[in-house]
Amino acid sequence: MSRVEDDKSATPGLQDALKADRLPIWRLLAFTMAGFIAILSETMPAGLLPQISRDLGVSEAMSGQLVSLYALGSVVAAIPLIAATRRWRRKQVLLLAIGGLFLFNMATALSTDYVLTLIARFVAGMAAALIWGLLAGYARRMVPHHLQGRALAIAGVGQPIALSLGVPLGAWLGTLFDWRGIFGIISALTLALIVWVVAAVPDYPGQAQNQRQPIRKIFMTPGVRPVLFVLFVWILAHNILYTYIAPFMAFVGLANHLGLVLLIFGFSSVIGIWITGQYIDTRLRFLTLISLATFAVVAMVLGLASELNGVTYLGVFLWGLTFGGAPTLLQTAIADAAGEGADVAQSMLVTVFNLAVAGGGIVGGLLLEQMGAGSFPWTLAFLSLFGLLTVWACKNNAFKPDRRS
């Protein structure tokens, strides 16, 4: 899928990129916006729970299931949808996915029935899964091989921005509009994105019959499973703390500074993905090792010095710095390992990612209830060390030390 020679004739855009040896930024930013809207659609309701619960006549806990059903739709649909559409032209599938997100975000905005709203959220999550399964492979096909990591970093920057801004942005917008109006705004942005994709994004053919490998064979490809394992423990660790960041900030005496903490995390995440984009094509293994090692050290420092506010702020900054590039690093690693099966491998990554997000909520909740928020740093350190050891051991297929060329 990433072989440039196969795609030279597919679009003048690729020929231009090859000739100038530079990135087609405007086209890649359409993918950035797609990822931003997909994550924003998922996280926004968390900042609007009081409004949603009053309007739909349910408890805030039941309103929270709007987030859960979206994630569940992504888990259920990612692999089947990507596998079923492998032979379709890529732009057709991308527009179908973005169009589905538009329709079912609008259905969420217009629905007055709780069950119908949950169904709309579930299908919107399915559309988001298809978007995430497409973005990495699509972005990589638009550039020559030695720029693929950088292109993926640009395409992926929407994710950390939306993750850090989704909840507080939802809460702030909730003071200006009702929750239905906010979903209407997201839908308008999605409609604009459809126009952007139609006008600017090049098209590519799907996979021929002889290129389509069985899903099990792709899963068993050397290097794919280690990347998925590292993804699971890394995202699980991240979401234990991110999901329960409010009680952890209360534990360290910063309950009134949650907005500042999220801002620091979001800012450093963007820096992290910028650094990743600069060096991923030459230092993928090093960046992954140093990110996991730093995350483990930061977690232990937070556990030992949680009463020092300055240390906590610094820890949050380094946490965001190391996490910002994580999705790009792992998307690139699994695409390199899977080869022609990269799109299906990306759908596996989406599935495992969402399972880890759900697992972070479950494990974090159990830890909070049984041991308190003070147990989070040590759990994070333990999980990140598991990931670090896996990356260290898997240098032949999954996390190669050589330059990506």
Side-chain angles (χ1 to χ4, degrees), residues 5 36-37 57 63 82 127 132 139 143 169 216 221 225 242 277 310 315 326 335 351 354 367 370 381 390 401:
E5 294 80 8
F36 177 80
I37 291 174
S63 297
I82 288 295
W132 285 115
V143 298
L169 184 61
R216 184 180 182 279
T221 301
R225 284 162 296 159
Y242 190 79
T351 301
N354 281 284
L367 288 171
Q370 300 296 326
T390 303

Side-chain angles (χ1 to χ4, degrees), residues 101-102 104-107 109 182-192:
L101 194 59
F102 166 75
F104 289 98
N105 272 341
M106 279 300 298
I182 295 169
F183 269 95
I185 292 171
I186 297 175
S187 298
L189 289 175
T190 310
L191 188 59

Side-chain angles (χ1 to χ4, degrees), residues 2-5 8 13-24 139-151 204 281 404-405:
S2 61
R3 292 177 301 180
V4 172
E5 294 80 8
K8 283 184 180 180
L14 180 54
Q15 295 179 25
D16 293 342
L18 286 167
K19 182 178 179 180
D21 199 26
R22 59 186 175 83
L23 294 165
R140 285 161 61 93
R141 291 178 78 166
M142 290 171 62
V143 298
H145 187 81
H146 69 281
L147 294 177
Q148 286 178 348
R150 194 173 300 178
Y204 297 96
D281 290 308
R404 297 186 63 258
S405 62

Side-chain angles (χ1 to χ4, degrees), residues 51-208:
Q51 276 198 30
I52 295 172
S53 64
R54 286 195 303 269
D55 192 45
L56 294 179
V58 296
S59 67
E60 288 193 19
M62 295 295 285
S63 297
Q65 301 315 302
L66 270 67
V67 178
S68 301
L69 264 291
Y70 188 100
L72 182 60
S74 295
V75 169
V76 170
I79 295 174
L81 286 181
I82 288 295
T85 57
R86 279 186 286 178
R87 65 183 178 86
W88 298 9
R89 296 196 67 84
R90 298 295 85 190
K91 191 168 181 176
Q92 178 184 7
V93 181
L94 181 61
L95 287 171
L96 175 67
I98 299 173
L101 194 59
F102 166 75
L103 287 175
F104 289 98
N105 272 341
M106 279 300 298
T108 300
L110 297 173
S111 171
T112 58
D113 179 77
Y114 176 69
V115 174
L116 183 59
T117 303
L118 289 181
I119 294 172
R121 292 291 293 169
F122 181 82
V123 183
M126 294 174 66
L130 189 54
I131 291 173
W132 285 115
L134 286 170
L135 287 193
Y138 212 138
R140 285 161 61 93
R141 291 178 78 166
M142 290 171 62
V143 298
H145 187 81
H146 69 281
L147 294 177
Q148 286 178 348
R150 194 173 300 178
L152 190 51
I154 294 171
V157 76
Q159 182 183 40
I161 295 174
L163 281 172
S164 60
L165 294 181
V167 176
L169 184 61
W172 176 71
L173 288 174
T175 65
L176 304 175
F177 309 97
D178 68 9
W179 71 274
R180 297 180 186 280
I182 295 169
F183 269 95
I185 292 171
I186 297 175
S187 298
L189 289 175
T190 310
L191 188 59
L193 175 61
I194 292 173
V195 175
W196 189 350
V197 170
V198 169
V201 174
D203 193 11
Y204 297 96
Q207 289 185 326

